[in-house]
Amino acid sequence: MGIPLFSLVRDCIQNGNWNLRAARSDRQLQLLSFITSLQPSPVSDSTMWLRQETNSKNFSSKEVWNAIRSKNPTVSWYSLVWHKVAIPKHAAATWLFMLNRNPTFDRMVAWGLDVETICLLCGSSSESQNHLFFDCPFSNRVWSALLLKLDILNAPTSWAQIISWLPAALPQRDAQLSLLLLWQASIYELWKERNRRLHQGLTLPHYKIFKRIVYLIKNKAMALKNVGSKHGEALTLLWF
Ligand SMILES: [Zn+2]
């Protein structure tokens, strides 16, 4: 096009009109017809982010993500995982288990790997998502003790039953949020304990995992209260 490599747009404009060489090939002609369809602007250049319908001077990672991601219909269990006061790493771990994407031993065997399938938490049954949360006697002790904090007795222990029980388990909103926090923290901490045993050969007793989860939830309640969240006050009342 005869335009030096580091030219500015204004170098190609003279008296408000494009000043470009005549095209010498079909490709140049196409380019030239496109460029000349744009009206040179008299104002200074600035960065613009082109959104789907509007332009903005501000960059928004949310807008970019929404523009490039493929969208699927919202799943029915969405609010169990991505609820208002969720702890992000707990929600992410729970989400992966909802999709059954974590490498539990039953899945590794299904991939053709030669692994011992005995649950590392109880040592008595085969490990699967359903066994870990919370058919496993070890997990179940942690889960049941935590539920007692919310005065819940006889909660279901199988994965599928828990998923259908959770959405309307408790009538009071903040108790319900506490339950979701407990459920996700249990999944995260028990999976972490399983991995600790697998990769480091270290073992924590069930009561330490219980205490750790209670500590995490109390911290979350305090943090919410400190930032003035309306759930913070109610959760601290429930947990302290
Ligand atoms: Zn087990």
Side-chain angles (χ1 to χ4, degrees):
M1 300 293 292
I3 304 170
L5 189 59
F6 296 105
S7 304
L8 301 175
V9 173
R10 69 163 180 237
D11 298 334
C12 303
I13 298 170
Q14 218 171 35
N15 302 326
N17 291 308
W18 292 106
N19 179 26
L20 297 161
R21 262 191 209 171
R24 285 185 290 180
S25 72
D26 283 348
R27 282 189 67 206
Q28 285 184 1
L29 187 62
Q30 276 179 4
L31 197 54
L32 213 55
S33 358
F34 173 71
I35 294 173
T36 49
S37 71
L38 307 170
Q39 183 59 44
S41 163
V43 298
S44 296
D45 288 351
S46 62
T47 312
M48 298 291 282
W49 293 96
L50 184 63
R51 295 186 188 169
Q52 269 146 346
E53 275 154 26
T54 52
N55 294 335
S56 170
K57 282 187 189 283
N58 301 321
F59 175 78
S60 155
S61 55
K62 180 183 172 183
E63 298 262 358
V64 173
W65 170 238
N66 278 328
I68 62 172
R69 76 187 177 105
S70 58
K71 288 178 186 158
N72 290 319
T74 305
V75 289
S76 60
W77 43 264
Y78 170 88
S79 57
L80 297 182
V81 177
W82 310 111
H83 63 82
K84 280 198 176 73
V85 300
I87 296 170
K89 63 182 178 181
H90 293 181
T94 306
W95 177 59
L96 286 174
F97 273 112
M98 288 300 301
L99 302 172
N100 200 12
R101 293 278 170 81
N102 278 318
T104 46
F105 291 143
D106 62 327
R107 295 192 68 226
M108 290 167 85
V109 168
W111 300 334
L113 296 170
D114 183 21
V115 290
E116 185 63 63
T117 62
I118 292 292
C119 169
L120 293 165
L121 299 180
C122 68
S124 60
S125 297
S126 285
E127 185 194 85
S128 65
Q129 174 204 50
N130 190 58
H131 174 76
L132 285 171
F133 315 110
F134 300 95
D135 269 344
C136 172
F138 181 93
S139 301
N140 195 271
R141 272 184 99 160
V142 177
W143 175 235
S144 310
L146 288 166
L147 290 178
L148 279 180
K149 288 266 180 195
L150 296 173
D151 299 322
I152 299 172
L153 293 159
N154 307 319
T157 57
S158 84
W159 182 267
Q161 283 174 345
I162 289 171
I163 301 307
S164 44
W165 168 74
L166 272 176
L170 295 171
Q172 206 266 329
R173 178 72 182 141
D174 289 292
Q176 175 71 10
L177 285 174
S178 284
L179 175 61
L180 294 178
L181 278 170
L182 276 188
W183 173 61
Q184 294 194 359
S186 303
I187 289 172
Y188 180 88
E189 287 297 325
L190 286 163
W191 182 241
K192 193 168 141 188
E193 172 62 13
R194 176 269 196 197
N195 287 326
R196 187 184 288 119
R197 293 181 184 203
L198 178 64
H199 301 297
Q200 294 173 266
L202 299 172
T203 301
L204 285 183
H206 61 86
Y207 61 86
K208 284 215 167 158
I209 297 170
F210 165 82
K211 277 171 102 172
R212 164 99 186 133
I213 294 172
V214 172
Y215 167 80
L216 286 173
I217 305 231
K218 283 183 168 179
N219 268 359
K220 180 69 187 182
M222 280 307 289
L224 286 169
K225 191 180 173 185
N226 289 342
V227 295
S229 152
K230 63 176 178 176
H231 299 293
E233 196 73 42
L235 285 177
T236 41
L237 279 174
L238 268 167
W239 286 93
F240 287 90

